[in-house]
Amino acid sequence: MGRLKMQSGIKAIEEEPEECDGYSIKTTLACMINSEVGAVLAVMRRNVRWSGRYMSGDDQLEHSLIQSLKALRKQIFTWQNNWRAINPSVYLQPFLDVIRSDETGAPITGVALSSVYKILTLDIIDQDTEHVEDAMNLLVDAVTSCRFEVTDPASEEVVLMKILQVLLGCMKSKASVMLSNQHVCTIVNTCFRIVHQAGSKGELLQRIARHTMHELVRCIFSHLPDVGNSESALVNGISNMNESSGLNNEYAFGSRQLENGNMASEYDGQALSMNLASNTSVGAAAVGMIDDTLGAGNGKDSLPYDLSPTYGVPCMVEIFIFLCSLLNVVENVGMGPRSNTLAFDEDVPLFALGLINSAIELGGPSIRHHPRLLGLIQDELFRNLMQFGLSTSPLILSMVCSIVLNLYHHLRTDLKLQLEAFFSCVILRLAQSRYGASYQQQEVAMEALVDFCRQKTFMVEMYANLDCDITCSNIFEDLANLLSKSAFPVNCPLSSMHILALDGLIAVIQGMAERVSNGSVGSEYTPVNFEEYTPFWMVKCDNYSDPSHWVPFVRRRKYIKRRLMIGADHFNRDPKKGLEFLQGTHLLPDKLDPQSVACFFRYTAGLDKNLVGDFLGNHDDFCVQVLHEFAWTFDFQDMNLDTALRLFLETFRLPGESQKIQRVLEAFSERYYEQSPLILANKDAALLLSYSLIMLNTDQHNVQVKKKMTEEDFIRNNRHINGGNDLPRDFLIELYHSIIKNEIRTTPEQGAGFPEMTPSRWIDLMHKSKKTAPFIVSDSRAYLDHDMFAIMSGPTIAAISVVFDHAEHEEVYQTCINGFLAVAKISACHHLEDVLDDLVVSLCKFTTLLNPSSVEEPVLAFGDDTKARMATVTVFTIANSYGDYIRTGWRNILDCILRLHKLGLLPARVASDAADESELTADSGHGKPLTNSLSSAHMPPMGTPRRSSGLMGRFSQLLSLDTEEPRSQPTEQQLAAHQRTLQTIQKCHIDSIFTESKFLQAESLLQLARALIWAAGRPPKGNSSPEDEDTAVFCLELLIAITLNNRDRIVLLWQGVYDHISNIVQSTVMPCALVEKAVFGLLRICQRLLPYKENLADELLRSLQLVLKLDARVADAYCEQITQEVSRLVKANASHIRSQLGWRTITSLLSITARHPEASEAGFDALLFIMSDGAHLLPANYVLCVDASRQFAESRVGQAERSVRALDLMAGSVDCLTRWASEAKESMAEEDAVRMSQDIGEMWLRLIQGLRKVCLDQREEVRNHALLSLQKCLIGVDGVHLPHTLWLQCFDMVVFTMLDDLLEIAQGHSQKDYRNMEGTLILAMKLLPKVFLRLLPDLSQLTTFCKLWLGVLSRMEKYIKVKVRGKKSEKLQELVPELLKDTLIVMKTSGVLVQRSALGGDSLWELTWLHVNNIAPSLQSEVFPDQCLEQSHNGDAAGDLASDETGQVPLTETASSEVAAGGG
């Protein structure tokens, strides 16, 4: 506090120069120093020793300490210079002398230290101060060699605290950069000594000492980023610390004179541990080490540096070595991390680890620029971390994990294999109870792992660097499995450990989900395949920092690793087949070579080591070569023989036969001697010594050997083996003790669990780390997430699901939901449809909607179940967001929707909203949208009435009081539960699934449609429950909705939709809501899609034939609505229907309605629309429409007026034929025009045949109108070229047949059935000569003309004789001769009827008169009188004929007027 006030005061003075000139500043500083001198003198005077000398009257001089203080007092007020120009040593020296003096007591030394600290804080000593370097060094030397008399423990502690304060002040001052490396080491040394001594002092001093040590380390290492690469300052380098030097000669702490001078012997023996006085030797060892390590004693040459004037890397290296050595103390004194009491076990390592952590936090990435520091971390520090990581103390484990996390963060690129070892040998062992870890250890390990998982790139980098490296273990896979297993509560309630593991799992998944959002370069998954053999151990990457290079590289390596694992599995069953399999996958060459097989044995995990040993020991030449190559894969450079032998024998089981052992050891010895020839004379020496070690190992570690080999025995056994000479005795002793302490395992474990880190394995790891591939640093894009997610998705979904199932707190629910959504996002983005389906299936179970409803009020139960509601919202969020990649999962989603539908919880029009919206826009020009007959709201009630649907309907049901069954008013809780249910359903946006289905990918859309068809089930056979029918109707609505929403992809859906509707239509025998929905849905689809899908028009219209297949009862029930819909369809889409097939369907549907009382009006309306003015008549639909019109004309449903209108439509259609004929002549090629002309003739024939049938109608008005229409059609076809043969057909099939049929009706039926047949016969008879004469010029040339003419005559003959109502018709008897006469005159005039031969050879003439005489005998004399009369007749007839040829047809008009008059 004092320091802060002083500083602020000084700064205030400096900042106000206009008020306080330079003189006052100098004076202020002088006053402050003067007051400090006074304070020291005052305390000294209290002591008799100092005051006596001072007060005595004799001539004895004052003590030099007092003299120097007084001299300073005199000087300070005389200094005129700026204080920074004054050497600080001048005003510090008197105080430092007091501190150094062993005559002063603790109170005096304490005040002097306070004064020095105060001067340090005045900010007058910085880099710019004169001679600051000397002054700082002087200050450090004085304080670190502080001496004083101990009067009482309390004052001693005060002095020690002040020493700490001043030393820390030195390091924190601006001038600290001027300190030398040696002085920094001295400061740390002194501080640690006080930490050590504080163990026997008060709690406060202990705390302050440790805190100061931490602050010192922080100060020193925070300077590292500012230091350049100062390795040049290392003149000789730093040799590894001699761990035993401080222990052998400095075991007893009290025998050593400490420079602090205040440690009385009663405190000397206290251990570093504040709790355990018994650990004296360890404390001494630690302090012994600090002297050797930091070199802070008298011997300044103990530092191997050419120490530069300012401190930097050298002192940091020294301090770091010292901190690591603190971790070695336990090991050096022979205490394993588990062998001692917890108090010591925790105290020293915790203190050291805390300091190391601070150093790494502040040094950060700068450490990698200093190889010596980095080397310490890579080897010594990490080796210690591996050891202490297995400590039973959770505190130590937690600190170790924190350090490793910091190292990962700052230096992971240089610690690839160390990190692998840490996770394999520490985290994966401790996080599982099966390796004997306590619950606390498991928890700390799991917390650490979760912290790593929260680093966004951690898992990706583990996968890329370790899982995809054939020489490394699958750390990502193991960690992911550990997390998912640890999240599983097996036969126990959910604990914090389960939640912790879940957090880690979800952190990994969410990291992937975030990377997906960042976009993925080249993340499109392409499977790796080997087309040809490449040595798998030599696969290299060109650029480890460029993803376009390293991503394919690591994928390739992972593929190799997977294949090797499969090959290992095959090899373990049958070595020959295993090698053949790898040849088949191009990982081994077609012709095996020794190197490739050796590398397979060396780098493949999971091989049966017995089989490998047998193979390598085999005497076969190839096997010997493989053994040789196998030995050459090891790096024994600078390795002890026993270490090398351990590593070699770990990879296979040494065979039992001596010859095999001989071969194996020969190969080993040759390789070892080649790489480490320093001590051994030749490879034979290596072989003999290796044999000797194997024998020693068996002797020492086999329980059956009772008499064990001694050290001397071992040395004696190995005489003269080194090329005739002895091996060094120390070398053999070291080997002997190494084997005794640590057995060489000749039967290694078969890859079970996670290995322990032995010294030999650590040495091997350090060797490998120099050669391993560079560490791949991943960025924030999803390069490998597809592969990683494929590995972990199954266990992850299972783990999250189990936790979600067991959880009871909303916070845990939310964590799980976040996990589910992240899984969904990743699955969708990497196109992993199976994973997404599994997720949907899993989630649907939690909605409780699929459970058989045993609850009385399921809606309330759902409202009260938070988990179910959250799961439901999540299911539909996934369906809406990632529907593109859902396949079979749609079935489960639909089951949920159907359940909500049954409970009446869906919005009223989930299905039809989408379709209706688009319909409004599509049909805006055509009046009201066509929803009436389609919406479920308008269905006639069938069976049990549907419960009121929709959210509000359900809610009002709850609120209403049923009058029949009085119910109690719902409670507030029930209302709240209902409200929650409704809010949940609204959040689900279920309707969006269907309205937005147009954006679904094709495969997903198809699966959704199939799921709807599946959910609807088979069509009911009449005995189904109303609920089943309701479900089927609802599914059909949804199916129709998505069909309408996907008109652009109708081809995809059509077949399934059509088949489903067809099943319904053909299996329904009674009217019901389902068949109604099916029929009208089909019509609606056609209405909506015809304008857009002309290529599908036939397919769509053909589907309407299903309507024709309806059961009669069903058809009858819906005929009117069907017709209205067909009518609308025709009106909206007539221009889009082009084919005959389409029109056939339409006209068939319309024709059926002709005889239906309710439907006929709408049907005729549609026909009218098509045929009026030929608006939509086409050659394709002409005959069909004419036939439909005929059916309406014949139909007696409705007024006769409609039949007349139908006949008018038929008669009017002739104009179309005429138009088409002229268009064909003008625009078509000759061949096409001829074909068209033939088609038109056919149409015309069908038209008049249709009219002929209506001419026989019972209704007089219709019958007579049909005759007039027929006459119009027969005569009004001038523009159409009709061949003679067609006309002859017309007479035979139409005109004559009609006349005969009418005659038969007139004679055979009662007047009651056919009224006024006489009028009809007259019209029919008038029609005959008109048509005959109209065609006379063309037909008279035909050879069959005679037959035709006789046909006309015979009909006239019959008609004149006909009896109507039992008597002959007077009108016909008048009319027929007259018509015949006119006909004969025209025939005579046109030269058709003339006597060609007087000899009786003219049959036409004779036959004519034969018949005419039967009708009217006088006609011959009237038509052929004498010559005069004949001429006058000729003139009249010619005029008539001329008129006829000009198209005015006076004969026809006359006849028509006569008939009209007669008819009236």
Side-chain angles (χ1 to χ4, degrees):
M1 296 298 287
R3 173 181 177 180
L4 289 172
K5 287 176 185 168
M6 288 304 296
Q7 280 183 322
S8 59
I10 293 295
K11 282 177 183 168
I13 292 169
E14 288 171 350
E15 284 164 8
E16 296 170 10
E18 59 281 343
E19 292 179 24
C20 311
D21 57 14
Y23 171 77
S24 63
I25 295 171
K26 291 172 194 163
T27 309
T28 306
L29 292 168
C31 290
M32 286 178 174
I33 291 174
N34 182 55
S35 68
E36 293 307 313
V37 172
V40 175
L41 287 173
V43 177
M44 291 176 82
R45 286 192 194 103
R46 288 167 59 187
N47 189 305
V48 178
R49 181 195 302 173
W50 305 103
S51 60
R53 272 189 197 177
Y54 183 63
M55 297 296 289
S56 64
D58 58 20
D59 296 332
Q60 192 176 11
L61 291 171
E62 288 174 321
H63 193 282
S64 61
L65 294 178
I66 291 176
Q67 279 183 344
S68 64
L69 285 165
K70 286 187 172 181
L72 176 60
R73 232 177 184 172
K74 286 178 188 173
Q75 280 180 290
I76 51 177
F77 289 107
T78 63
W79 289 337
Q80 299 300 315
N81 297 337
N82 185 321
W83 276 79
R84 284 192 170 84
I86 299 166
N87 184 347
S89 304
V90 177
Y91 49 84
L92 285 173
Q93 189 69 53
F95 297 102
L96 299 178
D97 289 343
V98 172
I99 292 167
R100 279 178 182 273
S101 171
D102 52 4
E103 296 176 45
T104 51
I108 300 169
T109 307
V111 174
L113 285 163
S114 293
S115 298
V116 171
Y117 180 68
K118 184 175 179 181
I119 292 167
L120 268 176
T121 61
L122 288 178
D123 278 351
I124 52 173
I125 302 176
D126 58 24
Q127 303 101 303
D128 305 325
T129 308
E130 289 287 326
H131 302 294
V132 66
E133 188 182 332
D134 298 336
M136 289 299 286
N137 292 342
L138 184 69
L139 193 156
V140 171
D141 286 339
V143 175
T144 53
S145 55
C146 168
R147 294 165 170 276
F148 59 93
E149 290 178 355
V150 178
T151 51
D152 63 288
S155 58
E156 181 191 359
E157 287 186 28
V158 171
V159 173
L160 293 176
M161 284 184 196
K162 289 190 175 178
I163 290 172
L164 293 169
Q165 188 183 37
V166 173
L167 292 176
L168 185 57
C170 281
M171 285 309 304
K172 286 191 170 180
S173 78
K174 291 178 181 175
S176 65
V177 293
M178 306 310 292
L179 288 169
S180 68
N181 285 296
Q182 182 174 347
H183 281 96
V184 171
C185 290
T186 307
I187 289 171
V188 175
N189 181 358
T190 307
C191 191
F192 181 72
R193 286 173 175 281
I194 297 174
V195 169
H196 168 70
Q197 299 219 353
S200 58
K201 307 284 189 285
E203 179 79 14
L204 182 61
L205 179 62
Q206 291 177 29
R207 298 277 174 108
I208 287 177
R210 288 177 176 236
H211 173 71
T212 307
M213 191 78 179
H214 268 284
E215 288 299 303
L216 280 175
V217 170
R218 290 179 69 81
C219 270
I220 294 163
F221 280 89
S222 63
H223 183 53
L224 183 61
D226 305 326
V227 176
N229 192 341
S230 312
E231 292 298 316
S232 56
L234 306 182
V235 175
N236 303 317
I238 304 176
S239 59
N240 279 335
M241 194 184 77
N242 182 354
E243 286 139 342
S244 58
S245 63
L247 294 168
N248 297 340
N249 33 10
E250 308 297 348
Y251 227 68
F253 199 51
S255 66
R256 187 185 178 94
Q257 173 60 49
L258 296 179
E259 285 190 89
N260 297 52
N262 66 321
M263 288 71 165
S265 60
E266 65 209 75
Y267 301 112
D268 284 354
Q270 298 300 326
L272 181 61
S273 169
M274 63 187 82
N275 302 320
L276 288 170
S278 61
N279 288 328
T280 308
S281 58
V282 179
V287 178
M289 274 185 193
I290 191 173
D291 283 335
D292 290 304
T293 310
L294 294 178
N298 295 325
K300 296 221 167 90
D301 57 337
S302 59
L303 263 177
Y305 289 119
D306 173 18
L307 293 171
S308 57
T310 58
Y311 81 92
V313 177
C315 71
M316 295 180 203
V317 170
E318 285 294 324
I319 292 165
F320 211 88
I321 291 173
F322 160 63
L323 295 177
C324 291
S325 71
L326 284 181
L327 295 175
N328 286 331
V329 169
V330 180
E331 193 180 349
N332 289 327
V333 187
M335 296 180 184
R338 303 185 184 192
S339 63
N340 208 344
T341 57
L342 188 63
F344 179 81
D345 196 20
E346 281 189 351
D347 196 59
V348 182
L350 262 183
F351 179 58
L353 289 168
L355 295 173
I356 288 168
N357 196 34
S358 295
I360 290 165
E361 282 173 347
L362 289 155
S366 308
I367 293 172
R368 74 159 55 90
H369 303 310
H370 307 290
R372 181 66 184 120
L373 269 177
L374 183 60
L376 281 169
I377 287 170
Q378 286 171 323
D379 191 352
E380 192 164 354
L381 172 63
F382 236 106
R383 183 163 42 79
N384 281 305
L385 292 177
M386 298 290 290
Q387 181 188 3
F388 282 102
L390 296 173
S391 160
T392 52
S393 160
L395 287 172
I396 289 180
L397 176 57
S398 180
M399 183 54 78
V400 166
C401 292
S402 298
I403 292 172
V404 176
L405 182 60
N406 274 322
L407 288 171
Y408 168 78
H409 190 63
H410 295 305
L411 301 170
R412 60 183 180 274
T413 54
D414 301 293
L415 298 170
K416 174 175 163 181
L417 299 184
Q418 287 87 340
L419 287 167
E420 179 199 6
F422 179 74
F423 285 108
S424 286
C425 305
V426 178
I427 297 293
L428 285 163
R429 282 177 75 85
L430 292 186
Q432 302 175 75
S433 55
R434 62 181 170 154
Y435 293 106
S438 67
Y439 182 80
Q440 283 183 316
Q441 282 177 302
Q442 289 177 55
E443 197 165 27
V444 174
M446 188 57 73
E447 281 171 354
L449 175 53
V450 173
D451 284 339
F452 275 101
C453 291
R454 289 182 179 131
Q455 314 304 308
K456 299 295 180 196
T457 58
F458 169 71
M459 282 297 208
V460 191
E461 289 174 351
M462 291 300 102
Y463 180 76
N465 290 290
L466 303 177
D467 288 55
C468 295
D469 188 332
I470 58 171
T471 62
C472 299
S473 47
N474 291 335
I475 295 294
F476 160 74
E477 207 164 323
D478 292 337
L479 292 178
N481 285 335
L482 170 64
L483 286 170
S484 49
K485 281 178 189 167
S486 303
F488 257 87
V490 183
N491 304 324
C492 61
L494 207 59
S495 68
S496 58
M497 182 76 92
H498 298 129
I499 303 300
L500 193 59
L502 180 75
D503 283 343
L505 208 52
I506 288 174
V508 177
I509 292 296
Q510 286 182 326
M512 288 185 183
E514 281 178 34
R515 286 194 290 277
V516 159
S517 308
N518 297 338
S520 50
V521 180
S523 72
E524 283 305 310
Y525 183 70
T526 46
V528 180
N529 272 312
F530 271 40
E531 297 302 324
E532 55 185 31
Y533 166 69
T534 330
F536 61 83
W537 61 95
M538 294 175 71
V539 175
K540 291 281 183 284
C541 178
D542 298 331
N543 185 344
Y544 284 90
S545 56
D546 180 359
S548 63
H549 285 88
W550 68 253
V551 172
F553 165 67
V554 296
R555 278 202 176 137
R556 188 176 169 87
R557 273 203 314 191
K558 185 62 180 173
Y559 171 83
I560 292 170
K561 194 172 183 179
R562 282 207 180 103
R563 291 280 153 190
L564 287 174
M565 299 289 276
I566 298 167
D569 197 41
H570 285 294
F571 181 88
N572 292 345
R573 291 199 217 108
D574 181 339
K576 188 179 174 188
K577 285 187 179 170
L579 297 175
E580 284 172 0
F581 168 80
L582 290 167
Q583 286 174 297
T585 55
H586 304 297
L587 288 178
L588 292 180
D590 293 337
K591 186 177 187 310
L592 287 178
D593 67 79
Q595 188 187 19
S596 60
V597 177
C599 289
F600 167 61
F601 289 156
R602 179 77 169 94
Y603 301 120
T604 305
L607 284 171
D608 184 327
K609 294 183 178 180
N610 292 316
L611 292 173
V612 176
D614 289 341
F615 192 101
L616 293 174
N618 202 314
H619 62 81
D620 178 75
D621 284 349
F622 182 73
C623 295
V624 172
Q625 289 174 316
V626 171
L627 172 62
H628 185 79
E629 290 289 349
F630 182 76
W632 253 247
T633 63
F634 286 85
D635 176 15
F636 297 139
Q637 197 81 39
D638 305 324
M639 217 180 261
N640 281 352
L641 181 67
D642 68 309
T643 302
L645 195 55
R646 286 176 203 281
L647 291 173
F648 188 65
L649 296 179
E650 265 187 2
T651 53
F652 61 92
R653 185 180 188 276
L654 193 61
E657 299 169 37
S658 57
Q659 287 178 328
K660 290 187 176 182
I661 295 173
Q662 168 88 11
R663 277 191 287 275
V664 168
L665 289 182
E666 275 176 2
F668 164 75
S669 305
E670 192 176 338
R671 177 64 172 165
Y672 181 78
Y673 175 71
E674 183 189 301
Q675 290 193 300
S676 298
L678 299 175
I679 295 174
L680 300 169
N682 50 39
K683 64 180 181 183
D684 292 337
L687 174 63
L688 290 168
L689 190 54
S690 301
Y691 250 119
S692 187
L693 288 178
I694 295 282
M695 290 168 65
L696 173 65
N697 190 63
T698 308
D699 173 88
Q700 293 295 323
H701 299 287
N702 191 327
V703 289
Q704 294 174 348
V705 178
K706 301 302 177 191
K707 189 182 178 189
K708 305 291 184 187
M709 194 186 298
T710 63
E711 186 180 295
E712 287 303 321
D713 293 338
F714 180 67
I715 293 169
R716 190 168 52 251
N717 291 345
N718 290 296
R719 280 186 189 150
H720 312 309
I721 66 168
N722 196 23
N725 299 320
D726 286 349
L727 287 159
R729 184 181 178 86
D730 290 346
F731 174 67
L732 291 173
I733 289 171
E734 189 183 344
L735 286 175
Y736 176 80
H737 286 288
S738 172
I739 300 295
I740 286 177
K741 277 187 203 168
N742 192 357
E743 178 188 359
I744 295 177
R745 296 192 178 277
T746 51
T747 53
E749 323 92 11
Q750 292 286 345
F754 301 101
E756 288 188 48
M757 181 51 69
T758 59
S760 58
R761 282 179 184 155
W762 183 259
I763 292 166
D764 185 44
L765 183 145
M766 293 311 296
H767 272 71
K768 281 182 182 170
S769 66
K770 292 168 190 161
K771 298 180 179 177
T772 187
F775 189 96
I776 293 166
V777 180
S778 176
D779 60 23
S780 58
R781 283 177 287 190
Y783 298 116
L784 300 170
D785 286 353
H786 180 285
D787 308 20
M788 292 165 62
F789 188 67
I791 291 169
M792 69 180 292
S793 59
T796 300
I797 293 174
I800 301 175
S801 300
V802 172
V803 174
F804 192 59
D805 193 22
H806 284 69
E808 292 172 2
H809 299 290
E810 201 161 327
E811 189 183 344
V812 182
Y813 296 161
Q814 193 55 55
T815 305
C816 295
I817 294 296
N818 294 343
F820 284 135
L821 289 172
V823 168
K825 182 176 183 180
I826 301 161
S827 309
C829 293
H830 291 296
H831 302 190
L832 297 165
E833 293 88 355
D834 292 350
V835 176
L836 197 54
D837 285 336
D838 290 346
L839 176 64
V840 168
V841 170
S842 186
L843 263 172
C844 285
K845 291 174 187 167
F846 294 116
T847 61
T848 69
L849 296 171
L850 306 186
N851 306 346
S853 179
S854 54
V855 197
E856 279 185 25
E857 195 49 85
V859 179
L860 292 179
F862 183 74
D864 288 329
D865 190 341
T866 308
K867 188 188 293 183
R869 285 183 286 111
M870 289 177 87
T872 305
V873 172
T874 310
V875 166
F876 288 109
T877 303
I878 290 171
N880 277 307
S881 306
Y882 310 115
D884 273 346
Y885 304 98
I886 297 175
R887 299 290 182 263
T888 55
W890 282 123
R891 291 190 174 191
N892 302 74
I893 292 170
L894 275 172
D895 284 341
C896 292
I897 293 175
L898 291 175
R899 178 75 178 138
L900 291 170
H901 174 67
K902 284 174 186 171
L903 295 174
L905 292 174
L906 288 185
R909 289 165 64 83
V910 161
S912 46
D913 273 350
D916 287 351
E917 276 172 32
S918 43
E919 204 162 71
L920 279 168
T921 55
D923 296 335
S924 53
H926 306 292
K928 189 172 175 244
L930 314 171
T931 55
N932 293 357
S933 57
L934 307 176
S935 161
S936 57
H938 299 279
M939 289 186 192
M942 302 286 169
T944 316
R946 284 178 61 176
R947 62 181 60 160
S948 58
S949 63
L951 295 175
M952 296 320 295
R954 183 72 193 160
F955 200 47
S956 59
Q957 257 189 355
L958 177 80
L959 297 174
S960 66
L961 293 173
D962 198 325
T963 49
E964 293 174 21
E965 286 181 42
R967 292 171 61 181
S968 57
Q969 193 98 14
T971 63
E972 277 188 31
Q973 286 90 336
Q974 287 177 320
L975 289 174
H978 255 279
Q979 196 59 42
R980 284 194 295 274
T981 300
L982 303 188
Q983 285 168 353
T984 301
I985 304 306
Q986 283 169 344
K987 281 184 201 165
C988 291
H989 302 296
I990 294 169
D991 53 336
S992 301
I993 294 173
F994 305 101
T995 57
E996 302 299 311
S997 63
K998 53 179 164 287
F999 301 115
L1000 279 182
Q1001 281 190 6
E1003 182 59 28
S1004 178
L1005 178 65
L1006 191 58
Q1007 293 291 346
L1008 174 57
R1010 285 176 182 167
L1012 279 166
I1013 292 166
W1014 172 82
R1018 299 295 304 163
K1021 293 290 183 187
N1023 54 355
S1024 61
S1025 68
E1027 198 170 70
D1028 288 343
E1029 189 188 346
D1030 191 33
T1031 300
V1033 169
F1034 182 65
C1035 289
L1036 185 57
E1037 284 180 353
L1038 295 178
L1039 188 61
I1040 290 166
I1042 65 166
T1043 308
L1044 294 176
N1045 271 312
N1046 288 278
R1047 64 186 183 208
D1048 295 329
R1049 297 187 287 177
I1050 185 66
V1051 179
L1052 191 69
L1053 300 172
W1054 178 246
Q1055 195 56 49
V1057 174
Y1058 174 77
D1059 290 346
H1060 181 56
I1061 291 176
S1062 174
N1063 280 338
I1064 295 171
V1065 167
Q1066 295 186 34
S1067 61
T1068 310
V1069 292
M1070 291 298 287
C1072 63
L1074 180 61
V1075 74
E1076 180 186 2
K1077 179 61 68 179
V1079 171
F1080 292 116
L1082 187 61
L1083 284 163
R1084 187 177 182 188
I1085 290 169
C1086 291
Q1087 281 177 31
R1088 289 281 306 286
L1089 297 183
L1090 274 174
Y1092 304 101
K1093 293 287 166 189
E1094 292 193 7
N1095 56 330
L1096 271 179
D1098 286 355
E1099 193 70 35
L1100 291 167
L1101 291 167
R1102 187 191 294 128
S1103 70
L1104 292 180
Q1105 291 177 0
L1106 284 177
V1107 179
L1108 304 174
K1109 297 177 183 175
L1110 282 169
D1111 184 274
R1113 288 165 290 189
V1114 179
D1116 193 53
Y1118 302 121
C1119 194
E1120 185 178 3
Q1121 295 102 305
I1122 291 172
T1123 312
Q1124 287 170 357
E1125 291 304 321
V1126 172
S1127 177
R1128 288 191 182 115
L1129 184 145
V1130 168
K1131 289 178 180 176
N1133 298 294
S1135 57
H1136 300 293
I1137 307 171
R1138 301 279 164 79
S1139 73
Q1140 188 171 12
L1141 185 74
W1143 279 112
R1144 175 170 288 119
T1145 307
I1146 295 291
T1147 52
S1148 302
L1149 289 168
L1150 295 178
S1151 302
I1152 290 171
T1153 65
R1155 288 174 178 75
H1156 196 283
E1158 291 86 15
S1160 60
E1161 193 57 48
F1164 186 69
D1165 189 42
L1167 192 63
L1168 203 58
F1169 173 79
I1170 299 167
M1171 295 185 70
S1172 288
D1173 303 323
H1176 296 287
L1177 278 177
L1178 304 166
N1181 68 5
Y1182 184 86
V1183 173
L1184 298 166
C1185 290
V1186 163
D1187 195 49
S1189 297
R1190 176 187 63 75
Q1191 295 197 40
F1192 273 101
E1194 290 177 338
S1195 168
R1196 303 193 67 166
V1197 173
Q1199 300 295 319
E1201 184 192 348
R1202 191 169 68 209
S1203 297
V1204 171
R1205 287 170 69 198
L1207 289 167
D1208 287 341
L1209 289 177
M1210 292 173 79
S1213 69
V1214 170
D1215 298 339
C1216 284
L1217 298 178
T1218 310
R1219 188 175 73 244
W1220 295 337
S1222 66
E1223 284 171 3
K1225 280 178 193 169
E1226 290 167 16
S1227 59
M1228 287 189 184
E1230 187 177 343
E1231 193 179 328
D1232 293 336
V1234 170
R1235 194 179 304 115
M1236 184 66 187
S1237 176
Q1238 288 172 352
D1239 292 343
I1240 290 171
E1242 288 293 322
M1243 292 179 220
W1244 173 77
L1245 185 61
R1246 293 289 293 271
L1247 169 67
I1248 57 174
Q1249 283 177 324
L1251 284 169
R1252 175 193 70 77
K1253 292 179 182 174
V1254 189
C1255 291
L1256 311 179
D1257 198 276
Q1258 286 187 341
R1259 295 163 296 172
E1260 179 190 4
E1261 183 183 349
V1262 175
R1263 195 169 59 234
N1264 292 348
H1265 198 79
L1267 277 165
L1268 293 174
S1269 299
L1270 179 60
Q1271 181 175 306
K1272 179 185 174 187
C1273 293
L1274 287 168
I1275 292 170
V1277 282
D1278 289 340
V1280 183
H1281 171 69
L1282 297 173
H1284 301 146
T1285 51
L1286 196 63
W1287 277 111
L1288 293 175
Q1289 265 184 295
C1290 166
F1291 271 98
D1292 282 343
M1293 296 167 63
V1294 179
V1295 180
F1296 293 160
T1297 310
M1298 175 202 66
L1299 289 168
D1300 295 345
D1301 290 346
L1302 283 174
L1303 200 61
E1304 189 182 330
I1305 289 168
Q1307 291 173 332
H1309 290 77
S1310 69
Q1311 179 64 24
K1312 187 178 173 187
D1313 293 335
Y1314 290 86
R1315 296 184 184 280
N1316 196 8
M1317 275 304 291
E1318 186 181 20
T1320 305
L1321 294 174
I1322 289 168
L1323 281 177
M1325 187 40 65
K1326 285 183 176 178
L1327 177 146
L1328 179 62
K1330 282 181 188 172
V1331 175
F1332 177 73
L1333 291 176
R1334 164 77 178 75
L1335 297 168
L1336 185 61
D1338 297 325
L1339 300 180
S1340 59
Q1341 307 304 317
L1342 299 179
T1343 53
T1344 54
F1345 175 72
C1346 183
K1347 182 184 174 188
L1348 174 66
W1349 169 232
L1350 291 177
V1352 172
L1353 288 175
S1354 67
R1355 269 51 178 197
M1356 286 183 166
E1357 189 176 340
K1358 285 179 186 174
Y1359 266 64
I1360 200 165
K1361 295 174 182 175
V1362 71
K1363 288 184 179 178
V1364 182
R1365 297 184 199 166
K1367 58 181 182 178
K1368 290 186 178 179
S1369 165
E1370 292 179 9
K1371 290 181 181 176
L1372 278 172
Q1373 286 184 329
E1374 287 175 19
L1375 177 65
V1376 171
E1378 194 176 327
L1379 292 173
L1380 181 56
K1381 181 180 177 184
D1382 289 344
T1383 305
L1384 289 168
I1385 291 169
V1386 172
M1387 288 175 74
K1388 175 187 172 188
T1389 311
S1390 58
V1392 174
L1393 185 63
V1394 289
Q1395 187 172 9
R1396 301 184 191 280
S1397 164
L1399 302 173
D1402 190 352
S1403 60
L1404 177 65
W1405 175 263
E1406 290 173 2
L1407 288 171
T1408 299
W1409 295 118
L1410 191 66
H1411 281 280
V1412 169
N1413 290 334
N1414 289 338
I1415 299 165
S1418 60
L1419 275 182
Q1420 186 173 4
S1421 58
E1422 286 179 32
V1423 177
F1424 291 94
D1426 54 29
Q1427 195 64 32
C1428 176
L1429 285 169
E1430 190 179 328
Q1431 284 174 357
S1432 72
H1433 274 294
N1434 263 344
D1436 292 338
D1440 285 347
L1441 188 61
S1443 306
D1444 194 39
E1445 284 173 354
T1446 59
Q1448 292 171 14
V1449 200
L1451 179 67
T1452 308
E1453 286 171 7
T1454 310
S1456 296
S1457 58
E1458 284 176 45
V1459 171

